Each structure stands twice: as C-alpha cells, then as structure tokens.
Amino acid sequence: MTELAIKADKISKKFGQFTAIENISLRINKGSIYGFLGPNGCGKSTTIRTLTGLLSPTSGDIEVLGLKIPEDADKLRFKIGYMTQKFSLYEDLTVEENLKFIGNIFALGKKELQERCQEQLATYGLNHLKNQIVSGMSGGQKQRLGLACATMHKPELLFLDEPTSAVDPENRRDFWEKLFDLSEAGTTILVATHYMDEAERCHKLAIMESGQMRADDTPEALMAQMGVNIVEIKTPGLRKLKLKLMEQDEVRSAAQLGVRLRVLIYQSIKKPVQWLLSNFPELEYAELEQVRPTLEDVFVAVTGKGRQ
Amino acid sequence: MKSLIRIKAIMLKELRQLSRDRLTFAMVVMIPLIQLVLFGFAINTEIRNIPVGLVDSSQTYHSRLLTESVKATQVVKFGHYYQTAEQAKQAIQTGEIKAALIIPADFEQRLAQNRALAQWMVNGSDSILSATILGLQRMPFIPDYKTRNLPNQGKTFEVTLFYNPSRKASINIVPGLLGVILTMTMVLFTSIAIVRERERGNLELLITTPVSPLELMIAKIIPYIFVGLLQVIIILGLGHLLFSVPINGSLIQIFLGSLLFIAASLTLGLIISTLAQTQLQAMQMTIFIILPSILLSGFMFPYEGMPILAQWIAEVLPATHFMRMIRGIVLRGADLIDLWHDSLWLASFTILGILVAAKRFKKSLD
Ligand SMILES: Nc1ncnc2c1ncn2[C@@H]1O[C@H](COP(=O)(O)OP(=O)(O)O)[C@@H](O)[C@H]1O
Ligand SMILES: [Mg+2]
C-alpha cells in the first residue's frame, strides 16, 4: 500500500447553523494529483481550509503528512504550499519582491534564497517580469507567480484552490504541465476546480455537491462505473425529443449540446441505439452514435445537475 | 535567528508598501504640517497684544524702561493703570483685565541686587495666557549701566497665577500637539495594518506560512516607529522655524519620551487591528481613541480639573502620560528617570499591548 499524504475521516464544518461540508472522508496518496470537482459554493475551499488547519472542523479526524490537524497545524506550515482562490500576494510589490518575501518568511538562507528565486523565475517564465509591479499583470502571469511563491520552499504537499479560474485555456494547459512536473518530482497536489477538462487530468477525483462528496475515484473508474451508455442524437426538434426521452425510465438524463442531444441510457438496455430506434420512430432519419462517456456525464450522473 | 529573518522580511515589505502608497506617505508629512500651522496660527493671534494692567509703584527711569521693553515684545499692551496691587487684583477678579504687571517700590534696589524685578499677576484659568506670560518670565532686561553685570541669571519677573497656582494647565502647545498628532497618525497606521491584509486577501496566505503572531506584530510596529520619529522632527523643527517655539528640554529626552509614546500608540492601533473586521471599522475605533486623547489627556483641559471618572479614562490613554511627560521634560527640564511613573507606564503598555495583540491574532479563519 502506498503512503498517504492526507487521511480524513468524516469531517464536517458548520458555520453557525449552516453546514458547509458534511462527512467528507479522504485518502490521498503521496505523489498523486487529487482533484475536487464541484460547482461554486459546494465546499471545496472550506475542505481545503480545514485540511490546512485554517479552519478547525466541527467534527471528524484529519491527518496530513502524519500530523494531526488542527492541533499540529504549526508544524504543517513548513511542509505545505497553498495557493488561495483569491490572489493573495502583494499587488503593490514586484514579482521578485514577492518571491523574496515568501522565501524569507520560510527563512531560506541567503544563498539558497538567491538561487531559488532565479530558479523559480526561470521555471515559471517570469524572468522578464521580475521588476514588474504585480497589480499591472495579467491573470495568467499572476497565477504563475502564485504557483512560484507557493512552491518557493519546495513543499511536499501543495493545495491549489481554483488556480486557473482567471486564466485562458492555453495558459491553463501550460499551468498543468508545471503541475505534472511537480508531481513527477514527488509533490502531492490537491487541486480544486470546476472545470471538467482540468478534473480529467487528475489521478484521482472527488466530486462534490452541496457540501457532500458524491463520488471518489480515478476519472476512468468513475466513467466506467457510471452504469449508463451514452448516445448522441443529431436531428431537428431536439427540445421536444428531450422532454419525451426524459419521461422514459430507462433514460438517466438527456442534455443538449449544440445541435446534438446527449442521452444517458441505463446499462440494463444492452443495445441502446437499437432501443432508441425501435422505441422512437421519429428517429428514423436521425444520426445516432454511441460515444465514450466523459467526466461531464459522470458529473451529471452523480449530481443530477449539468454544468457547462 | 529565523524569527529575525521573518521580522526583517515583513518590515521591509511594510516600508516598501508605505513608500509606494502616496496617500499614506502624504499623510505622514501633511498631518503634522497642517495641524501645526492651524494651531500655530492660533498661538500667534493669542499672544499678540493681550490687554493688561500696570501698577508702577516705583516711577523711575528704569521702571519705565522695563515697561517699554515689555511693550516692545508686542505680547501685551498696557490699557489699564492702577495705584495699588490690590486694585489690579480686583480688576483681574472682575475680569476687566487678564493680567497685571506690578512694579514694586523697591524696584531700583532689586535691580541692583539682581533679584526678580517685578511681578506678574495672571488669571491662571486661561491656560494659553498663562503660558504666554510665563514665557516672558525670563525676558532679558539689561539697563545700560549694568552691561558689565551680565548675564542676569535670575528671573526678570515673578509670576503669580491666580485660580490655578500649580501652573499645570499651562499649555506648551507644541509639545501638546506632538501628543495629538502622534496619536492620530500612529494609531491610524497600525489600526489598518492587519485589517488591510485581511481585506486584500493577503492574510489567508500569510497565516498559512510559518510566521508567528508575535513576529508579525513586532514587524508591523517597527517601521512606523521611524515614521513617528520623522513626524517628531517635522513638528518640533517647524514649530521652531515658523513660530519660534523654544525647545527648552533636552532633545534626547524629548526623543526618548516620544519613542515610548510612539511605541505605545502603535500597539494600541495594533490591538484595534485585531478587533476590527474592515478598514472602516478600524478607522471608527481609531476615532474613539483620538477624541478622548485630545479632550481628556490634558491637552485641551487641565487634567486636575476633570471629574474622577474622566481622569480614570484619561489615565488609560497613552496620550495622557505623554502630555505629562513631555511637559515635564520641556517645562521643568525633567528626564525620563524623574518621570519614571509615566515612562514605565508607556513601556509596560507597549509590551503588554503587543502580547495582547499577538494573543488575539489567531492563525486561523474561524
Ligand atoms: N466563513 C464562512 N462563514 C459562513 N459561511 C461560509 C464561510 N465560508 C464559506 N461559507 C459557505 O460555505 C459554502 C461553501 O463555500 P466554499 O467552501 O467557499 O465553496 P467553494 O469553494 O466550493 O466555492 C458556501 O455556501 C459559503 O457561502
Ligand atoms: Mg472556493
């Protein structure tokens, strides 16, 4: 069995009467990239804050890197990097000043600090921005700086809270390349996101909805375990067809994607395309194709709600 | 050692932010300047041509010379003349005049013996007036034939304050202003120091790092001590340049005293910063500190004249101790050892305050 970086048992966090997260249990392997997928307000940030010791759980047990949290949170701070959802570096300092500040806060030695700064500036493509005041930089640049600062002290465990929410797709891809590099070097990464494509890159994934964990596995396993087949239908009059299909017990759900309708049919129907054709004569001239499930389908299946 | 690196890093960051924040930077310089000019203007109008009475029982050439020299200062003008000191005293009591100069019959003798020459009777309840007349106390008076007998070490005048003989209400405006301005700026700066980080979102990151609350508090205070000392220089320097305010006490004592007060005020702001949730709240709380600091500290009204309750409140404020201290230094030439009660109080307040602020500052978001 591989070593665990995070072990959480039935953690709940209440703010007054309101339950933000409930009965979350996690096992996160060292060296893996673990994703929290869920819509805004589902409790991703609250879970991360609880795991880092910033919030103390109302109930439940947490062990991170072998330390009991929140009791040993002070010791944990040397070992983790945290990129907050809202940009939390100093906007009125330059890139290099921010990096050095964080380095000094972790009390790196003078020589080490210098080297580490150079390294980070180079790794995250910030060399030419070194003396730039942060407030004038783009979302992607700020995010690279955020990651550079969070990894300045080479943490064993990295928490990233929606790191790419203010970033265009291209920069997002580059960002993930950096994450894979870090993971390769042995860093455990926990990343919260509401992007499906991002979640799909994680080694393992927890799908969250209104404070609860709905599913937790590798993306492939999640897709395989869904218990539905998927058929895409291309035909006119999709709105009416959708309503009609949704009434069927065999249909888990149907969602329109542009000119196509994506229908999730329970695996009790062995040949879904035939089943559709025989039950819905209006599909005679339609294009039907059975497709591979995506994470989006998993998400829809476990939460009962769709998201773009 | 590691603590020192962290404290230095935060201090450096604070100073950088301060130097890039034009508004705050302007405040550092402008608040003392504006206050000083406004109050200084008030001083100037007050000390010009105060109508006073004169009793000249000597009626000699030299006594007239003395009267002329007093007139030449333009601080007072003689509008009323009385036969006896008793009459003058009555006139002060009825409010006809605020002060009177009494030149005794043995004036020439006093002059020869180098004693105090004459007496001022002053309505002590007007503290600005008393301060002004007290300022005349050592006015040099060197009649021609005595030039060899210089300098006249003694006082030229005896000053008798009615209604407030202890003289404690006599304001030395500029030292008092030092207290008011420093309270304003110092408390304000640190009161927003932590709230600002919270509002800008920096705090969530900062508390996930190994910074300890105590390190953070100390590092937040130190840069502003320099700002405070800069303000002390501005106030005393400009007060001296613009309004010829004499600085009587030892400069080192004044600076050390100010240092104690600056540290205490910064700490007070820091405590506010751990209480407030937003910058606006911090400002509001700061006003709650500034107002009593101006009204109760003895800057405006004599401490002894206040009701017991007000005195208790005043006793808690660093400004009160500073006013007492700085006046001791400036007016009586006392030093911090003589004023050990206030020095010790300010120092203890600072240390205790930092500990309280550090204790209140939780490294969590709960
Ligand atoms: N400090 C807090 N006090 C009260 N409610 C909170 C607090 N923090 C978060 N919440 C609530 O908890 C829920 C989960 O929030 P959050 O963890 O930020 O979600 P996510 O990060 O997934 O968008 C939200 O409904 C939010 O309003
Ligand atoms: Mg969030």
Side-chain angles (χ1 to χ4, degrees):
Chain A
M1 204 188 114
T2 39
E3 262 187 288
L4 290 179
I6 298 179
K7 181 166 164 274
D9 284 307
K10 296 201 164 167
I11 49 171
S12 301
K13 176 69 191 173
K14 288 188 178 152
F15 297 109
Q17 290 294 311
F18 177 75
T19 307
I21 54 171
E22 199 175 3
N23 280 333
I24 306 267
S25 296
L26 291 166
R27 295 283 180 277
I28 301 180
N29 290 336
K30 277 200 173 156
S32 68
I33 302 183
Y34 192 95
F36 280 161
L37 176 67
N40 284 330
C42 70
K44 302 183 294 293
S45 300
T46 306
T47 309
I48 289 184
R49 286 174 181 151
T50 312
L51 293 175
T52 53
L54 286 182
L55 291 171
S56 39
T58 313
S59 63
D61 298 309
I62 306 172
E63 207 175 283
V64 180
L65 300 175
L67 297 167
K68 267 199 86 56
I69 303 299
E71 292 83 356
D72 287 335
D74 281 339
K75 284 187 207 136
L76 182 67
R77 308 214 197 279
F78 290 94
K79 303 181 170 188
I80 58 168
Y82 177 28
M83 211 175 136
T84 52
Q85 182 168 355
K86 184 171 177 286
F87 183 74
S88 56
L89 288 159
Y90 295 94
E91 300 254 0
D92 45 3
L93 298 187
T94 67
V95 167
E96 195 179 19
E97 286 165 356
N98 267 303
L99 272 173
K100 290 215 161 132
F101 175 71
I102 296 294
N104 277 320
I105 288 294
F106 281 95
L108 301 185
K110 214 170 186 168
K111 191 154 154 275
E112 195 185 355
L113 178 71
Q114 203 63 39
E115 283 169 10
R116 202 64 195 130
C117 252
Q118 292 309 323
E119 241 171 73
Q120 294 292 80
L121 285 174
T123 310
Y124 294 99
L126 293 165
N127 252 326
H128 63 294
L129 292 167
K130 194 161 105 171
N131 297 318
Q132 165 88 40
I133 298 267
V134 172
S135 63
M137 300 195 326
S138 75
Q141 292 167 339
K142 281 186 188 175
Q143 171 232 36
R144 293 207 304 272
L145 174 62
L147 187 60
C149 284
T151 52
M152 188 73 187
H153 59 295
K154 301 188 177 161
E156 288 175 51
L157 173 59
L158 195 55
F159 291 91
L160 307 170
D161 195 351
E162 301 199 20
T164 56
S165 49
V167 176
D168 59 72
E170 163 134 12
N171 274 311
R172 205 176 329 150
R173 237 184 350 260
D174 291 345
F175 186 79
W176 272 86
E177 289 305 313
K178 305 285 184 238
L179 294 192
F180 287 129
D181 288 343
L182 285 167
S183 173
E184 190 85 4
T187 312
T188 311
I189 300 174
L190 197 158
V191 54
T193 179
H194 58 250
Y195 293 114
M196 300 295 164
D197 60 323
E198 241 174 38
E200 215 160 337
R201 299 174 208 231
C202 298
H203 298 136
K204 247 182 141 184
L205 192 62
I207 295 181
M208 294 186 64
E209 188 194 20
S210 37
Q212 291 178 348
M213 224 162 90
R214 300 282 188 219
D216 163 29
D217 216 325
T218 63
E220 297 72 31
L222 285 170
M223 290 183 236
Q225 291 158 10
M226 236 183 348
V228 293
N229 287 314
I230 295 156
V231 179
E232 279 193 358
I233 307 172
K234 196 171 171 188
T235 182
L238 284 183
R239 309 288 312 158
K240 234 167 81 195
L241 179 65
K242 181 180 168 187
L243 291 178
K244 202 166 159 195
L245 284 171
M246 297 276 273
E247 281 169 15
Q248 307 294 317
D249 285 339
E250 293 87 346
V251 174
R252 171 72 172 81
S253 69
Q256 192 172 344
L257 290 173
V259 294
R260 283 162 305 149
L261 191 66
R262 207 173 162 89
V263 190
L264 278 63
I265 300 167
Y266 285 113
Q267 281 172 343
S268 54
I269 308 291
K270 290 278 175 275
K271 296 189 165 155
V273 175
Q274 267 79 357
W275 177 81
L276 278 170
L277 284 172
S278 52
N279 283 284
F280 300 90
E282 65 264 46
L283 291 179
E284 195 179 346
Y285 299 106
E287 285 176 39
L288 279 85
E289 187 189 2
Q290 186 167 350
V291 295
R292 276 170 40 82
T294 66
L295 209 49
E296 174 100 32
D297 301 318
V298 176
F299 193 77
V300 170
V302 298
T303 65
K305 272 189 215 148
R307 269 188 63 85
Q308 296 306 320
Chain B
M1 187 56 210
K2 296 206 161 163
S3 275
L4 279 184
I5 298 181
R6 282 195 278 271
I7 290 176
K8 221 173 88 190
I10 301 175
M11 272 168 49
L12 189 66
K13 179 211 74 144
E14 288 291 319
L15 282 173
R16 282 208 173 107
Q17 288 185 309
L18 186 66
S19 70
R20 283 171 201 169
D21 179 358
R22 292 243 173 102
L23 194 69
T24 310
F25 204 69
M27 239 163 69
V28 171
V29 180
M30 291 313 282
I31 289 187
L33 233 125
I34 292 173
Q35 294 267 343
L36 195 68
V37 170
L38 286 180
F39 276 92
F41 184 63
I43 303 172
N44 266 359
T45 55
E46 284 291 341
I47 60 166
R48 292 268 177 263
N49 301 322
I50 305 163
V52 296
L54 176 67
V55 179
D56 188 350
S57 314
S58 167
Q59 297 285 358
T60 60
Y61 165 71
H62 285 123
S63 75
R64 275 189 289 277
L65 203 62
L66 178 69
T67 327
E68 285 309 313
S69 326
V70 172
K71 245 193 256 176
T73 64
Q74 291 189 4
V75 172
V76 295
K77 67 167 194 269
F78 296 104
H80 299 79
Y81 299 88
Y82 305 97
Q83 293 303 316
T84 64
E86 199 48 45
Q87 283 172 358
K89 193 172 167 186
Q90 219 118 60
I92 291 175
Q93 260 159 14
T94 59
E96 196 177 304
I97 51 171
K98 289 195 162 171
L101 177 63
I102 318 291
I103 302 179
D106 61 349
F107 173 73
E108 291 292 334
Q109 211 175 328
R110 284 162 173 264
L111 189 59
Q113 290 168 354
N114 214 358
R115 285 158 53 204
L117 299 175
Q119 183 194 23
W120 277 103
M121 292 196 296
V122 183
N123 178 344
S125 63
D126 184 334
S127 49
I128 294 174
L129 175 81
S130 346
T132 311
I133 304 270
L134 275 169
L136 285 177
Q137 202 168 26
R138 288 169 189 274
M139 184 190 87
F141 177 64
I142 307 141
D144 38 10
Y145 77 90
K146 286 202 74 178
T147 37
R148 294 259 165 83
N149 212 354
L150 280 178
N152 185 351
Q153 287 290 1
K155 297 172 184 166
T156 310
F157 300 113
E158 293 286 356
V159 178
T160 308
L161 296 180
F162 295 146
Y163 312 125
N164 189 7
S166 70
R167 292 181 194 175
K168 282 204 177 133
S170 66
I171 293 180
N172 196 319
I173 287 269
V174 171
L177 257 189
L178 209 55
V180 171
I181 295 173
L182 286 177
T183 304
M184 262 186 193
T185 50
M186 295 295 101
V187 178
L188 191 64
F189 284 151
T190 40
S191 72
I192 57 174
I194 288 172
V195 190
R196 193 180 47 206
E197 303 233 8
R198 190 193 307 273
E199 279 194 341
R200 292 190 187 165
N202 308 130
L203 202 64
E204 188 170 351
L205 176 79
L206 207 55
I207 60 181
T208 325
T209 67
V211 174
S212 82
L214 194 59
E215 289 162 3
L216 185 64
M217 296 303 144
I218 292 172
K220 284 270 176 189
I221 280 189
I222 294 174
Y224 291 103
I225 288 184
F226 294 106
V227 174
L229 288 178
L230 180 70
Q231 290 191 322
V232 172
I233 293 173
I234 293 178
I235 297 165
L236 291 181
L238 274 182
H240 193 69
L241 274 179
L242 293 182
F243 306 112
S244 324
V245 175
I247 299 165
N248 300 325
S250 137
L251 273 182
I252 294 195
Q253 296 293 331
I254 293 177
F255 271 100
L256 285 178
S258 304
L259 195 68
L260 283 176
F261 177 58
I262 287 168
S265 301
L266 289 172
T267 312
L268 190 58
L270 216 50
I271 296 174
I272 292 181
S273 209
T274 61
L275 291 169
Q277 289 300 313
T278 63
Q279 290 197 50
L280 184 67
Q281 272 180 17
M283 303 253 188
Q284 288 167 336
M285 289 192 215
T286 303
I287 291 180
F288 270 101
I289 299 293
I290 291 178
L291 275 183
S293 292
I294 294 177
L295 295 175
L296 302 183
S297 63
F299 173 70
M300 282 278 197
F301 312 112
Y303 177 86
E304 286 75 9
M306 293 189 304
I308 290 292
L309 180 67
Q311 285 189 2
W312 281 0
I313 298 174
E315 206 60 35
V316 178
L317 296 165
T320 310
H321 295 270
F322 179 67
M323 295 287 172
R324 218 180 273 154
M325 202 156 114
I326 200 74
R327 282 184 186 146
I329 296 172
V330 171
L331 298 178
R332 299 204 309 270
D335 59 26
L336 294 187
I337 312 280
D338 302 330
L339 301 162
W340 67 271
H341 172 84
D342 294 308
S343 325
L344 188 69
W345 196 90
L346 286 176
S348 324
F349 183 93
T350 306
I351 293 168
L352 224 72
I354 291 181
L355 293 178
V356 167
K359 185 118 185 84
R360 276 205 51 84
F361 179 79
K362 293 248 160 50
K363 283 191 77 179
S364 82
L365 295 171
D366 283 302

